[in-house]
């Protein structure tokens, strides 16, 4: 057996048998992120040739990004390799959307991981990826270029849990040259992605133009950087442990961050706690300017409505707490007609519901005066929403139900409030 293959198998076996707290105790399927390149090809080969592993329980998953004219041919190649190794093959197609302020390579990477994690969730498997020490060096340098702290400079962990799936990297102790030599000696067949030579992409620029010069000057650079990344990971883990202890008393059941408690910490700790809060809820990390705006909102006037945009969400202040608020589309102008018992599920409002008569659903907080069924005072809808403690940013997204051109119900916080003109036999049923 080739010594590099033996090294991969030994690393794999140790990682898969580590135990629940430090990784999987090797239950479930084994899913290889299989691009057909030399790294994933050698990883799949090493896995399928472990005596204790049944290749039929191994899945090689190719993600079709639709970015290369050769993608269909690469998919066919991967299918043939899996057939030869007697393991299962699956192809997952994704559409790579080029988001604002995000590179195409970053968008492709996020889409690829999302597809692989979904597949692992479906088959109850662990994800194995073929990243090596050269990839680790590239990641470290890219994070340093972005001004990352210890968590970013920790680069890629050998194992990490994401969305309930263990991601395992058994080849981080190998260089790409180790892998290419081993694959060549074994006579393995792999593909070469032509985009890897395009130095317009940051990672390729490092790989093709910068790192060769660095490693020629300092041959052990990948090893020493890996050691630095490991030290950063240890430092980051210790900081997270302390931060989580402090954060536990600041986060509500609804996931909001208490500003009274946050104000009791130093500015540096406030920044750390806010970053960890956002990370806990899988939000992107704010830049320095965004973080400064979030921290300024701690001391903002109670009637102010600061809003800090962060990725696809807004960070807002309401009732002494910070809220992570998804952006919702505007309600349809003029309302929408809903047939009797037709379920209404719209992205602009939260509840799914239906009515036992044909109605019109109106959003946008119309200027209408309403009175609750059973009597009481009459107020403008806006004033009722304030009384019900609906945050200002959500008021446009509260559905008002009209029957025969009269407002008869309003749905707030998954509760139906019936109004004075509501017939006794009319009802709104919440589905979720």
């Amino acid at each position: 057996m080739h010594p590099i293959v033996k090294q991969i198998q030994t690393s794999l076996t140790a990682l898969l048998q580590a135990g629940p707290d430090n990784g999987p105790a090797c239950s479930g399927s084994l899913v290889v992120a299989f691009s057909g390149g030399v790294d994933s090809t050698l990883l799949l080969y090493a896995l399928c040739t472990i005596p204790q592993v049944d290749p039929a329980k191994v899945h090689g998953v190719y993600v079709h990004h639709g970015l290369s004219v050769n993608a269909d041919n690469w998919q066919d190649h991967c299918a043939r390799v899996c057939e030869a190794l007697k393991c299962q093959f699956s192809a997952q197609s994704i559409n790579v959307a080029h988001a604002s302020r995000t590179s195409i390579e970053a968008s492709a990477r996020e889409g690829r991981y999302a597809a692989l994690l979904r597949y692992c969730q479906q088959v109850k498997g662990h994800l194995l990826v073929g990243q090596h020490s050269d990839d680790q060096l590239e990641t470290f340098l890219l994070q340093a270029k972005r001004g990352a702290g210890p968590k970013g400079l920790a680069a890629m962990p050998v194992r990490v849990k994401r969305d309930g799936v263990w991601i395992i990297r058994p080849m981080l102790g190998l260089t790409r040259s180790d892998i290419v030599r081993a694959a060549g000696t074994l006579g393995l067949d792999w593909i070469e992605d032509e985009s890897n030579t395009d130095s317009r992409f940051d990672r390729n620029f490092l790989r093709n133009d910068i790192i060769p010069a660095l490693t020629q000057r300092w041959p052990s650079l990948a090893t020493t950087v890996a050691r630095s990344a490991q030290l950063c990971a240890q430092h980051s883990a210790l900081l997270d442990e302390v931060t989580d202890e402090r954060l536990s008393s600041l986060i509500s059941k609804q996931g909001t961050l208490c500003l009274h408690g946050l104000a009791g910490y130093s500015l540096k700790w406030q920044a750390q706690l806010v970053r960890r809060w956002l990370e806990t809820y899988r939000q992107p990390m704010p830049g320095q300017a965004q973080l400064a705006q979030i921290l300024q909102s701690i001391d903002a006037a109670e009637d102010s409505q600061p809003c800090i945009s962060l990725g696809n969400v807004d960070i807002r202040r309401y009732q002494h707490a910070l809220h992570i608020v998804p952006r919702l589309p505007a309600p349809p102008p003029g309302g929408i007609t809903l047939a009797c018992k037709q379920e209404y599920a719209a992205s602009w409002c939260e509840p799914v519901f239906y009515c036992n008569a044909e109605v019109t659903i109106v959003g946008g907080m119309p200027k209408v005066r309403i009175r609750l069924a059973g009597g009481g005072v009459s107020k403008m809808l806006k004033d009722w929403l304030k009384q019900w403690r609906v945050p200002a940013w959500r008021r446009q997204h509260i559905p008002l139900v009209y029957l025969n051109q009269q407002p008869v119900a309003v749905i707030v916080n998954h509760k139906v409030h019936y109004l004075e003109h509501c017939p006794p036999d009319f009802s709104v049923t919440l589905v979720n």
Side-chain angles (χ1 to χ4, degrees), residues 245-275:
E245 289 178 3
R246 298 186 174 190
L247 196 60
S248 62
S249 62
L250 302 180
I251 299 181
S252 71
K253 292 180 179 179
Q254 294 74 35
T256 62
L257 185 62
C258 174
L259 292 179
H260 286 319
L262 192 62
Y265 289 96
S266 68
L267 189 61
K268 290 179 180 178
W269 263 110
Q270 288 176 4
Q272 175 63 22
L273 289 162
V274 166
R275 281 192 292 259

Side-chain angles (χ1 to χ4, degrees), residues 18-188:
D21 293 334
N22 287 323
C26 200
S27 60
S29 303
L30 300 175
V31 178
V32 174
F34 187 37
S35 67
V38 65
D39 312 326
S40 59
T41 297
L42 187 62
L43 173 58
L44 186 63
Y45 173 85
L47 177 60
C48 288
T49 53
I50 295 177
Q52 306 95 308
V53 172
D54 180 2
K57 295 183 179 179
V58 174
H59 301 245
V61 180
Y62 174 81
V63 178
H64 193 309
H65 302 82
L67 296 176
S68 172
V69 295
N70 297 312
D72 289 340
N73 293 333
W74 295 341
Q75 179 175 315
D76 293 340
H77 165 85
C78 291
R80 290 193 299 271
V81 172
C82 288
E83 183 180 9
L85 290 172
K86 296 181 170 54
C87 66
Q88 299 188 49
F89 171 75
S90 177
Q92 304 291 310
S93 296
I94 63 172
N95 293 316
V96 179
H98 192 181
S100 175
R101 300 178 66 183
T102 304
S103 68
I104 191 70
E105 56 183 332
S107 298
R109 181 172 59 253
E110 283 301 309
R112 179 168 62 252
Y113 268 105
L116 290 167
L117 292 173
R118 280 195 303 270
Y119 185 88
C120 288
Q121 290 164 352
Q122 292 167 7
V123 302
K124 295 180 173 56
H126 312 305
L127 180 60
L128 311 182
V129 291
Q131 288 152 332
H132 45 72
S133 64
D134 295 49
D135 295 319
Q136 188 78 305
L137 174 57
E138 294 164 9
T139 301
F140 184 94
L141 293 175
L142 285 170
Q143 293 291 350
K145 186 265 293 184
R146 295 168 186 145
K151 187 177 291 290
L153 294 176
M156 298 179 293
V158 68
R159 53 179 169 245
V160 66
K161 204 169 192 178
R162 179 173 167 185
D163 295 345
V165 175
W166 279 102
I167 302 174
I168 300 170
R169 300 179 174 93
M171 298 167 64
L172 287 180
L174 300 173
T175 65
R176 188 175 193 277
S177 58
D178 292 331
I179 293 166
V180 170
R181 280 196 301 269
T185 301
L186 292 165
L188 301 182

Side-chain angles (χ1 to χ4, degrees), residues 136-307:
Q136 188 78 305
L137 174 57
E138 294 164 9
T139 301
F140 184 94
L141 293 175
L142 285 170
Q143 293 291 350
K145 186 265 293 184
R146 295 168 186 145
K151 187 177 291 290
L153 294 176
M156 298 179 293
V158 68
R159 53 179 169 245
V160 66
K161 204 169 192 178
R162 179 173 167 185
D163 295 345
V165 175
W166 279 102
I167 302 174
I168 300 170
R169 300 179 174 93
M171 298 167 64
L172 287 180
L174 300 173
T175 65
R176 188 175 193 277
S177 58
D178 292 331
I179 293 166
V180 170
R181 280 196 301 269
T185 301
L186 292 165
L188 301 182
D189 187 20
W190 65 87
I191 64 161
E192 294 286 356
D193 186 341
E194 74 280 353
S195 70
N196 288 338
T197 62
D198 188 348
S199 290
R200 290 177 301 174
F201 299 120
D202 288 346
R203 189 174 287 271
N204 290 346
F205 173 66
L206 285 174
R207 181 181 301 158
N208 301 328
D209 301 341
I210 302 301
I211 290 178
L214 292 176
T215 53
Q216 184 176 6
R217 174 88 177 207
W218 300 295
S220 61
L221 181 64
T223 301
T224 55
V225 164
R227 187 161 60 246
S228 292
Q230 188 175 21
L231 291 171
C232 287
Q234 292 172 358
H235 174 87
S236 179
L238 289 172
L239 182 59
D240 285 347
E241 188 175 322
V242 176
T243 304
D244 288 344
E245 289 178 3
R246 298 186 174 190
L247 196 60
S248 62
S249 62
L250 302 180
I251 299 181
S252 71
K253 292 180 179 179
Q254 294 74 35
T256 62
L257 185 62
C258 174
L259 292 179
H260 286 319
L262 192 62
Y265 289 96
S266 68
L267 189 61
K268 290 179 180 178
W269 263 110
Q270 288 176 4
Q272 175 63 22
L273 289 162
V274 166
R275 281 192 292 259
R276 185 62 172 168
W277 170 60
L278 293 170
E279 182 184 10
T280 299
Y281 290 95
R282 299 296 304 275
Q283 300 303 323
M285 286 297 99
Q288 289 297 321
Q290 292 170 311
L291 183 60
Q293 287 179 298
I294 294 173
L295 297 180
Q296 287 169 6
S297 70
I298 297 174
D299 299 319
E302 187 57 36
D303 59 350
S304 67
Q305 297 181 22
C307 175

